[in-house]
Amino acid sequence: MAPKRAYIEKGSRRAPKGFIGATYDALTSSENASVVRSIAVFGAAVTFLASSWSEFLLPPKEIADSIGNNYWELCSKRNCSSLDEH
């Protein structure tokens, strides 16, 4: 007896995408590009500001000291006693 032939459809069905595949497609779609980019930049900024690298944003110590000294000199001339309590 001859074996039966298996008929294969030309347009084979694909299984529905899983959670990871659907998420990847949603993140890489062109209509969501600006949202994904904004979230990525926000995350990078928060990470930078929470790290020790954020100290590079501070002015040099000499400048910060001179600004602080000038502030307290001006404050003493204007009688800023309320600011001294903080």
Side-chain angles (χ1 to χ4, degrees):
M1 184 175 198
K4 294 182 181 180
R5 289 189 176 186
Y7 293 102
I8 301 173
E9 295 180 27
K10 288 186 179 181
S12 63
R13 296 183 187 181
R14 296 179 74 183
K17 291 187 177 183
F19 176 75
I20 294 174
T23 303
Y24 178 78
D25 286 344
L27 292 176
T28 56
S29 69
S30 61
E31 61 189 27
N32 293 336
S34 62
V35 174
V36 172
R37 195 176 305 122
S38 299
I39 292 172
V41 169
F42 177 78
V46 168
T47 303
F48 175 79
L49 293 174
S51 71
S52 62
W53 285 82
S54 63
E55 293 178 7
F56 286 112
L57 298 175
L58 297 174
K61 184 166 175 40
E62 297 82 24
I63 295 174
D65 287 344
S66 67
I67 292 171
N69 290 338
N70 291 339
Y71 172 77
W72 289 114
E73 288 173 9
L74 288 172
C75 191
S76 64
K77 290 178 184 176
R78 293 183 182 171
N79 193 11
C80 300
S81 60
S82 63
L83 293 177
D84 293 336
E85 296 172 5
H86 296 284

Coordinates of all heavy atoms in Angstrom, one line a residue:
M1 N 0.8 -1.2 0.0 CA 0.0 0.0 0.0 C 0.9 1.2 0.0 O 1.8 1.3 0.8 CB -0.9 0.0 1.2 CG -1.9 1.0 1.3 SD -2.8 0.7 2.7 CE -4.2 1.7 2.4
A2 N 0.6 2.2 -0.8 CA 1.4 3.4 -1.0 C 1.1 4.4 0.2 O -0.1 4.4 0.7 CB 1.0 4.1 -2.3
P3 N 2.1 5.1 0.6 CA 1.9 6.1 1.7 C 1.0 7.2 1.3 O 1.0 7.6 0.1 CB 3.2 6.5 2.1 CG 4.1 6.3 0.9 CD 3.5 5.1 0.2
K4 N 0.2 7.7 2.2 CA -0.7 8.8 1.9 C 0.1 10.1 1.8 O 1.1 10.3 2.5 CB -1.8 9.0 3.0 CG -2.7 7.9 3.1 CD -3.7 8.1 4.2 CE -4.7 7.0 4.3 NZ -5.7 7.2 5.3
R5 N -0.3 11.0 0.9 CA 0.4 12.2 0.7 C -0.2 13.2 1.7 O -1.4 13.3 1.9 CB 0.2 12.7 -0.7 CG 0.9 12.0 -1.7 CD 0.8 12.7 -3.0 NE 1.6 12.0 -4.0 CZ 1.8 12.4 -5.2 NH1 1.3 13.5 -5.6 NH2 2.5 11.7 -6.1
A6 N 0.7 14.0 2.2 CA 0.3 15.1 3.1 C 0.2 16.3 2.3 O 1.2 16.7 1.6 CB 1.4 15.2 4.2
Y7 N -0.9 17.0 2.4 CA -1.1 18.2 1.6 C -0.7 19.4 2.5 O -1.2 19.5 3.6 CB -2.5 18.3 1.2 CG -2.9 17.3 0.1 CD1 -3.6 16.2 0.4 CD2 -2.5 17.5 -1.2 CE1 -3.9 15.2 -0.5 CE2 -2.8 16.5 -2.2 CZ -3.5 15.4 -1.8 OH -3.8 14.5 -2.7
I8 N 0.1 20.2 2.0 CA 0.6 21.4 2.8 C 0.0 22.6 2.1 O 0.2 22.8 0.9 CB 2.1 21.5 2.9 CG1 2.7 20.2 3.5 CG2 2.6 22.7 3.6 CD1 4.2 20.1 3.4
E9 N -0.6 23.5 2.9 CA -1.2 24.7 2.3 C 0.0 25.6 2.0 O 1.0 25.7 2.8 CB -2.1 25.3 3.3 CG -3.4 24.5 3.6 CD -4.3 25.2 4.6 OE1 -4.2 26.4 4.7 OE2 -5.0 24.5 5.3
K10 N -0.2 26.4 0.9 CA 0.9 27.3 0.6 C 0.9 28.5 1.5 O 2.0 29.0 1.8 CB 0.7 27.8 -0.9 CG 1.0 26.7 -1.9 CD 0.9 27.2 -3.3 CE 1.2 26.1 -4.2 NZ 1.2 26.5 -5.6
G11 N -0.2 29.0 1.9 CA -0.2 30.1 2.9 C -0.3 29.6 4.3 O -1.3 29.6 4.9
S12 N 0.8 29.1 4.8 CA 0.8 28.5 6.1 C 0.5 29.6 7.2 O 0.9 30.7 7.1 CB 2.1 27.8 6.5 OG 3.2 28.8 6.5
R13 N -0.2 29.1 8.2 CA -0.6 30.0 9.3 C 0.5 30.2 10.3 O 1.2 29.2 10.6 CB -1.8 29.5 10.0 CG -3.0 29.4 9.1 CD -4.2 28.9 9.9 NE -5.3 28.6 9.0 CZ -6.5 28.2 9.4 NH1 -6.7 28.0 10.7 NH2 -7.5 28.1 8.6
R14 N 0.7 31.4 10.7 CA 1.7 31.7 11.7 C 1.0 31.8 13.1 O -0.1 32.2 13.2 CB 2.4 33.0 11.4 CG 3.1 33.0 10.1 CD 3.8 34.3 9.9 NE 4.9 34.4 10.7 CZ 5.7 35.5 10.8 NH1 5.4 36.5 10.1 NH2 6.7 35.5 11.6
A15 N 1.8 31.3 14.1 CA 1.2 31.4 15.4 C 1.2 32.8 15.9 O 2.0 33.6 15.4 CB 2.1 30.6 16.4
P16 N 0.2 33.2 16.7 CA 0.2 34.6 17.2 C 1.4 34.9 18.0 O 2.0 34.0 18.6 CB -1.1 34.6 18.1 CG -1.4 33.2 18.3 CD -0.8 32.4 17.2
K17 N 1.8 36.2 17.9 CA 3.1 36.6 18.6 C 2.8 36.5 20.1 O 1.8 36.8 20.6 CB 3.4 38.0 18.2 CG 3.9 38.0 16.8 CD 4.4 39.4 16.4 CE 5.0 39.4 15.0 NZ 5.6 40.6 14.6
G18 N 3.9 36.2 20.8 CA 3.9 36.2 22.3 C 4.0 37.6 22.8 O 4.1 38.6 22.1
F19 N 4.1 37.7 24.1 CA 4.2 39.0 24.8 C 5.4 39.8 24.4 O 5.4 41.0 24.1 CB 4.1 38.8 26.3 CG 4.3 40.1 27.1 CD1 3.3 41.0 27.2 CD2 5.5 40.3 27.7 CE1 3.4 42.2 27.9 CE2 5.7 41.5 28.4 CZ 4.6 42.4 28.5
I20 N 6.6 39.1 24.3 CA 7.8 39.7 24.0 C 7.8 40.2 22.6 O 8.3 41.3 22.3 CB 9.0 38.8 24.3 CG1 9.1 38.5 25.8 CG2 10.3 39.4 23.8 CD1 10.1 37.5 26.2
G21 N 7.3 39.4 21.7 CA 7.3 39.8 20.3 C 6.4 41.0 20.0 O 6.7 41.9 19.3
A22 N 5.2 41.0 20.7 CA 4.3 42.1 20.5 C 4.9 43.4 21.1 O 4.7 44.5 20.6 CB 3.0 41.8 21.2
T23 N 5.5 43.2 22.3 CA 6.1 44.4 22.9 C 7.3 45.0 22.1 O 7.4 46.2 21.9 CB 6.7 44.0 24.3 OG1 5.6 43.5 25.1 CG2 7.3 45.2 25.0
Y24 N 8.1 44.1 21.5 CA 9.2 44.6 20.6 C 8.6 45.3 19.4 O 9.1 46.4 19.0 CB 10.0 43.4 20.2 CG 11.1 43.8 19.2 CD1 12.3 44.4 19.7 CD2 11.0 43.6 17.9 CE1 13.3 44.8 18.9 CE2 12.0 43.9 17.0 CZ 13.1 44.5 17.5 OH 14.1 44.9 16.6
D25 N 7.6 44.8 18.8 CA 7.0 45.4 17.7 C 6.4 46.8 18.0 O 6.5 47.7 17.3 CB 5.9 44.5 17.0 CG 6.4 43.4 16.3 OD1 7.7 43.4 15.9 OD2 5.7 42.4 16.0
A26 N 5.8 46.9 19.2 CA 5.2 48.1 19.7 C 6.3 49.2 19.9 O 6.1 50.4 19.6 CB 4.4 47.9 20.9
L27 N 7.4 48.8 20.5 CA 8.5 49.7 20.8 C 9.2 50.2 19.6 O 9.8 51.3 19.5 CB 9.5 49.1 21.8 CG 8.9 48.8 23.2 CD1 10.0 48.1 24.0 CD2 8.6 50.1 23.9
T28 N 9.3 49.3 18.6 CA 10.1 49.7 17.4 C 9.2 50.3 16.3 O 9.7 50.6 15.2 CB 10.8 48.4 16.8 OG1 9.9 47.4 16.6 CG2 11.9 48.0 17.8
S29 N 7.9 50.4 16.5 CA 7.1 51.0 15.4 C 7.3 52.5 15.3 O 7.7 53.2 16.3 CB 5.6 50.7 15.7 OG 5.2 51.5 16.8
S30 N 7.2 53.0 14.1 CA 7.5 54.4 13.8 C 6.6 55.4 14.6 O 7.0 56.5 14.9 CB 7.5 54.7 12.3 OG 6.2 54.4 11.8
E31 N 5.4 55.0 14.8 CA 4.4 55.9 15.4 C 4.7 56.0 16.9 O 4.3 57.0 17.5 CB 3.0 55.4 15.2 CG 2.7 54.0 15.8 CD 1.3 53.5 15.4 OE1 0.8 53.9 14.4 OE2 0.8 52.7 16.2
N32 N 5.5 55.1 17.5 CA 5.8 55.2 18.9 C 7.3 55.7 19.2 O 7.7 55.8 20.3 CB 5.6 53.9 19.6 CG 4.2 53.5 19.7 OD1 3.3 54.3 19.7 ND2 4.0 52.2 19.8
A33 N 8.0 56.1 18.1 CA 9.4 56.4 18.2 C 9.6 57.6 19.1 O 10.6 57.6 20.0 CB 9.9 56.7 16.8
S34 N 8.8 58.7 19.1 CA 9.1 59.8 19.9 C 8.8 59.5 21.4 O 9.6 60.0 22.2 CB 8.2 61.0 19.4 OG 6.8 60.7 19.6
V35 N 7.8 58.7 21.7 CA 7.5 58.4 23.1 C 8.7 57.5 23.6 O 9.2 57.8 24.7 CB 6.2 57.6 23.2 CG1 6.0 57.1 24.6 CG2 5.1 58.5 22.7
V36 N 9.1 56.5 22.9 CA 10.2 55.7 23.3 C 11.5 56.5 23.5 O 12.2 56.3 24.5 CB 10.4 54.5 22.3 CG1 11.6 53.7 22.6 CG2 9.2 53.6 22.3
R37 N 11.8 57.4 22.6 CA 13.0 58.2 22.7 C 12.9 59.1 23.9 O 13.9 59.3 24.6 CB 13.1 59.0 21.4 CG 14.5 59.6 21.2 CD 14.6 60.4 19.9 NE 14.3 59.5 18.8 CZ 13.3 59.8 17.9 NH1 12.6 60.9 18.0 NH2 13.1 58.9 16.9
S38 N 11.7 59.7 24.2 CA 11.6 60.6 25.3 C 11.8 59.8 26.7 O 12.5 60.3 27.6 CB 10.2 61.2 25.4 OG 10.0 62.0 24.2
I39 N 11.2 58.6 26.7 CA 11.4 57.8 27.9 C 12.9 57.4 28.1 O 13.4 57.4 29.2 CB 10.5 56.6 27.9 CG1 9.0 57.0 28.0 CG2 10.8 55.6 29.0 CD1 8.0 55.9 27.8
A40 N 13.5 57.1 27.0 CA 15.0 56.7 27.1 C 15.8 57.9 27.6 O 16.7 57.7 28.4 CB 15.4 56.2 25.7
V41 N 15.6 59.1 27.0 CA 16.3 60.3 27.4 C 16.1 60.6 28.9 O 17.0 60.9 29.7 CB 16.0 61.4 26.5 CG1 16.6 62.7 27.1 CG2 16.6 61.2 25.1
F42 N 14.8 60.5 29.3 CA 14.5 60.7 30.7 C 15.2 59.7 31.7 O 15.8 60.1 32.7 CB 13.0 60.6 30.9 CG 12.5 60.8 32.4 CD1 12.5 62.1 32.9 CD2 12.2 59.7 33.2 CE1 12.1 62.3 34.2 CE2 11.8 59.9 34.5 CZ 11.8 61.2 35.0
G43 N 15.2 58.5 31.3 CA 15.9 57.5 32.1 C 17.4 57.7 32.2 O 18.0 57.6 33.2
A44 N 18.0 58.1 31.0 CA 19.4 58.4 31.0 C 19.7 59.6 31.9 O 20.7 59.7 32.6 CB 19.9 58.7 29.6
A45 N 18.8 60.7 31.9 CA 19.1 61.8 32.7 C 18.9 61.5 34.2 O 19.8 62.0 35.0 CB 18.1 62.9 32.3
V46 N 18.0 60.7 34.6 CA 17.8 60.3 36.0 C 19.0 59.5 36.4 O 19.5 59.7 37.5 CB 16.5 59.6 36.2 CG1 16.4 58.9 37.5 CG2 15.3 60.5 36.0
T47 N 19.4 58.6 35.6 CA 20.6 57.8 35.9 C 21.8 58.7 36.1 O 22.6 58.5 37.0 CB 20.9 56.7 34.8 OG1 19.7 55.9 34.7 CG2 22.0 55.9 35.2
F48 N 22.0 59.6 35.2 CA 23.2 60.5 35.3 C 23.1 61.4 36.6 O 24.1 61.5 37.3 CB 23.2 61.5 34.1 CG 24.3 62.5 34.1 CD1 25.6 62.2 33.9 CD2 24.0 63.8 34.5 CE1 26.6 63.1 33.9 CE2 25.0 64.7 34.6 CZ 26.3 64.4 34.3
L49 N 22.0 61.9 36.9 CA 21.9 62.8 38.0 C 22.0 62.0 39.3 O 22.4 62.6 40.4 CB 20.6 63.6 38.0 CG 20.5 64.6 36.9 CD1 19.1 65.2 36.8 CD2 21.5 65.7 37.0
A50 N 21.6 60.7 39.3 CA 21.8 59.9 40.5 C 23.2 59.4 40.7 O 23.5 58.8 41.8 CB 20.8 58.8 40.5
S51 N 24.0 59.5 39.7 CA 25.4 58.9 39.8 C 26.3 60.0 40.3 O 26.0 61.2 40.5 CB 25.8 58.4 38.5 OG 26.0 59.5 37.6
S52 N 27.6 59.6 40.5 CA 28.6 60.5 40.9 C 29.0 61.4 39.8 O 29.7 62.4 40.0 CB 29.8 59.8 41.5 OG 30.4 58.9 40.5
W53 N 28.7 61.1 38.6 CA 29.1 61.9 37.4 C 28.3 63.3 37.5 O 28.7 64.2 36.8 CB 28.7 61.2 36.1 CG 29.7 60.1 35.8 CD1 29.7 58.9 36.3 CD2 30.8 60.2 34.9 NE1 30.7 58.1 35.8 CE2 31.4 58.9 34.9 CE3 31.3 61.2 34.1 CZ2 32.5 58.6 34.2 CZ3 32.4 60.9 33.4 CH2 33.0 59.6 33.4
S54 N 27.3 63.4 38.2 CA 26.5 64.6 38.3 C 27.3 65.7 38.9 O 27.0 66.9 38.8 CB 25.2 64.5 39.0 OG 25.4 64.1 40.3
E55 N 28.4 65.4 39.6 CA 29.2 66.4 40.3 C 29.9 67.3 39.3 O 30.3 68.4 39.6 CB 30.2 65.7 41.2 CG 29.6 65.1 42.4 CD 30.6 64.4 43.3 OE1 31.8 64.5 43.0 OE2 30.2 63.7 44.2
F56 N 30.0 66.8 38.0 CA 30.6 67.7 37.0 C 29.8 68.9 36.7 O 30.2 69.8 36.1 CB 30.8 66.8 35.7 CG 32.0 65.9 35.8 CD1 31.7 64.5 35.8 CD2 33.3 66.3 35.9 CE1 32.8 63.6 35.9 CE2 34.3 65.4 36.1 CZ 34.1 64.1 36.1
L57 N 28.5 68.9 37.0 CA 27.6 70.0 36.8 C 27.9 71.1 37.8 O 27.4 72.3 37.6 CB 26.2 69.6 36.8 CG 25.8 68.6 35.8 CD1 24.3 68.1 36.0 CD2 25.9 69.1 34.4
L58 N 28.5 70.8 38.9 CA 28.7 71.8 40.0 C 29.9 72.8 39.5 O 30.8 72.3 38.9 CB 29.1 71.2 41.3 CG 28.0 70.3 41.9 CD1 28.6 69.6 43.1 CD2 26.8 71.1 42.3
P59 N 29.8 74.0 39.9 CA 30.9 74.9 39.6 C 32.2 74.5 40.4 O 32.1 73.8 41.5 CB 30.4 76.3 40.0 CG 29.4 76.0 41.0 CD 28.8 74.7 40.7
P60 N 33.4 75.0 40.0 CA 34.6 74.7 40.8 C 34.4 75.2 42.2 O 33.7 76.2 42.4 CB 35.7 75.4 40.0 CG 35.1 75.6 38.6 CD 33.7 75.7 38.8
K61 N 35.2 74.6 43.1 CA 35.0 75.0 44.5 C 35.4 76.5 44.8 O 34.7 77.1 45.6 CB 35.9 74.1 45.4 CG 35.8 74.3 46.9 CD 36.4 73.3 47.6 CE 36.4 73.5 49.1 NZ 35.2 74.1 49.7
E62 N 36.4 77.0 44.1 CA 36.7 78.4 44.3 C 35.6 79.3 43.9 O 35.3 80.3 44.6 CB 38.0 78.8 43.5 CG 39.2 78.0 43.9 CD 39.3 76.6 43.3 OE1 38.6 76.4 42.2 OE2 39.9 75.8 43.8
I63 N 34.9 79.0 42.8 CA 33.8 79.9 42.4 C 32.6 79.7 43.3 O 32.0 80.7 43.7 CB 33.4 79.5 40.9 CG1 34.6 79.9 40.0 CG2 32.2 80.3 40.5 CD1 34.4 79.5 38.6
A64 N 32.4 78.5 43.7 CA 31.2 78.3 44.6 C 31.5 79.0 45.9 O 30.5 79.6 46.5 CB 31.0 76.8 44.8
D65 N 32.7 79.0 46.4 CA 33.0 79.6 47.7 C 32.9 81.1 47.6 O 32.3 81.8 48.5 CB 34.4 79.3 48.2 CG 34.5 77.9 48.7 OD1 33.5 77.3 49.0 OD2 35.7 77.4 48.8
S66 N 33.3 81.7 46.4 CA 33.2 83.2 46.3 C 31.7 83.6 46.1 O 31.3 84.6 46.6 CB 34.0 83.6 45.1 OG 33.4 83.1 43.9
I67 N 30.9 82.8 45.5 CA 29.5 83.1 45.4 C 28.9 83.0 46.7 O 28.1 83.9 47.1 CB 28.8 82.1 44.4 CG1 29.3 82.4 43.0 CG2 27.3 82.2 44.5 CD1 28.8 81.3 42.0
G68 N 29.2 82.0 47.5 CA 28.7 81.9 48.9 C 29.1 83.0 49.7 O 28.2 83.5 50.5
N69 N 30.3 83.4 49.7 CA 30.8 84.5 50.5 C 30.1 85.8 50.1 O 29.7 86.6 51.0 CB 32.3 84.6 50.4 CG 33.0 83.5 51.1 OD1 32.5 82.8 51.9 ND2 34.2 83.2 50.7
N70 N 30.0 86.0 48.9 CA 29.3 87.3 48.4 C 27.8 87.3 48.9 O 27.3 88.3 49.2 CB 29.4 87.4 46.9 CG 30.8 87.7 46.4 OD1 31.6 88.1 47.2 ND2 31.0 87.4 45.1
Y71 N 27.2 86.1 48.8 CA 25.8 86.0 49.2 C 25.7 86.4 50.7 O 24.8 87.2 51.1 CB 25.2 84.6 49.0 CG 23.9 84.4 49.6 CD1 22.8 84.9 49.0 CD2 23.7 83.8 50.8 CE1 21.5 84.8 49.5 CE2 22.5 83.6 51.4 CZ 21.4 84.1 50.7 OH 20.1 84.0 51.3
W72 N 26.5 85.9 51.6 CA 26.4 86.1 53.0 C 26.8 87.6 53.3 O 26.3 88.2 54.2 CB 27.3 85.2 53.8 CG 26.6 83.8 53.8 CD1 27.2 82.7 53.2 CD2 25.4 83.4 54.3 NE1 26.3 81.6 53.3 CE2 25.2 82.0 54.0 CE3 24.4 84.1 55.0 CZ2 24.0 81.4 54.4 CZ3 23.2 83.4 55.3 CH2 23.1 82.1 55.0
E73 N 27.7 88.2 52.5 CA 28.1 89.6 52.7 C 26.9 90.5 52.4 O 26.5 91.4 53.1 CB 29.3 90.0 51.9 CG 30.6 89.4 52.4 CD 31.7 89.7 51.4 OE1 31.5 90.4 50.4 OE2 32.8 89.1 51.6
L74 N 26.2 90.2 51.2 CA 25.0 90.9 50.9 C 23.9 90.7 51.9 O 23.2 91.6 52.2 CB 24.6 90.5 49.5 CG 25.4 90.9 48.3 CD1 24.9 90.3 47.0 CD2 25.4 92.5 48.2
C75 N 23.8 89.5 52.4 CA 22.7 89.2 53.3 C 23.0 89.9 54.6 O 22.0 90.4 55.2 CB 22.7 87.7 53.5 SG 21.2 87.2 54.4
S76 N 24.2 90.0 55.1 CA 24.5 90.7 56.3 C 24.2 92.2 56.2 O 23.8 92.9 57.1 CB 25.9 90.5 56.8 OG 26.8 91.0 55.9
K77 N 24.4 92.8 55.0 CA 24.2 94.2 54.8 C 22.7 94.5 54.7 O 22.2 95.5 55.1 CB 24.8 94.7 53.5 CG 26.3 94.7 53.5 CD 26.8 95.1 52.2 CE 28.4 95.1 52.2 NZ 28.9 95.4 50.9
R78 N 21.9 93.5 54.3 CA 20.4 93.7 54.2 C 19.7 93.1 55.4 O 18.5 93.1 55.4 CB 19.9 93.0 52.9 CG 20.4 93.6 51.6 CD 19.9 92.9 50.4 NE 20.4 93.5 49.2 CZ 20.2 93.0 48.0 NH1 19.6 91.9 47.9 NH2 20.8 93.6 47.0
N79 N 20.4 92.6 56.4 CA 19.8 92.1 57.6 C 18.8 90.9 57.2 O 17.6 90.9 57.5 CB 19.0 93.2 58.3 CG 18.7 92.7 59.7 OD1 19.1 91.6 60.2 ND2 17.8 93.5 60.4
C80 N 19.4 89.8 56.7 CA 18.6 88.6 56.3 C 18.6 87.6 57.4 O 19.1 86.5 57.3 CB 19.2 88.0 55.0 SG 19.2 89.1 53.6
S81 N 18.1 88.0 58.5 CA 18.2 87.1 59.7 C 17.3 85.9 59.5 O 17.5 84.8 60.1 CB 17.8 87.8 61.0 OG 16.5 88.4 60.8
S82 N 16.2 86.0 58.7 CA 15.4 84.9 58.5 C 16.0 83.7 57.7 O 15.7 82.6 57.9 CB 14.1 85.3 57.8 OG 14.4 85.8 56.5
L83 N 17.0 84.1 56.9 CA 17.7 83.1 56.1 C 18.7 82.3 56.9 O 19.1 81.2 56.6 CB 18.4 83.7 54.9 CG 17.4 84.3 53.8 CD1 18.2 85.0 52.7 CD2 16.6 83.3 53.2
D84 N 19.2 83.0 58.0 CA 20.2 82.3 58.8 C 19.6 81.1 59.6 O 20.3 80.2 59.9 CB 20.8 83.3 59.8 CG 21.6 84.3 59.1 OD1 22.1 84.1 58.0 OD2 21.8 85.4 59.7
E85 N 18.3 81.1 59.8 CA 17.7 80.0 60.5 C 17.6 78.7 59.7 O 17.6 77.7 60.3 CB 16.3 80.4 61.0 CG 16.3 81.6 61.9 CD 14.9 82.1 62.2 OE1 13.9 81.5 61.7 OE2 14.8 83.1 62.8
H86 N 17.6 78.8 58.4 CA 17.5 77.6 57.5 C 18.9 77.1 57.5 O 19.4 76.2 57.2 CB 17.0 78.0 56.2 CG 15.6 78.5 56.2 ND1 14.5 77.7 56.4 CD2 15.1 79.8 56.1 CE1 13.4 78.4 56.5 NE2 13.7 79.7 56.3

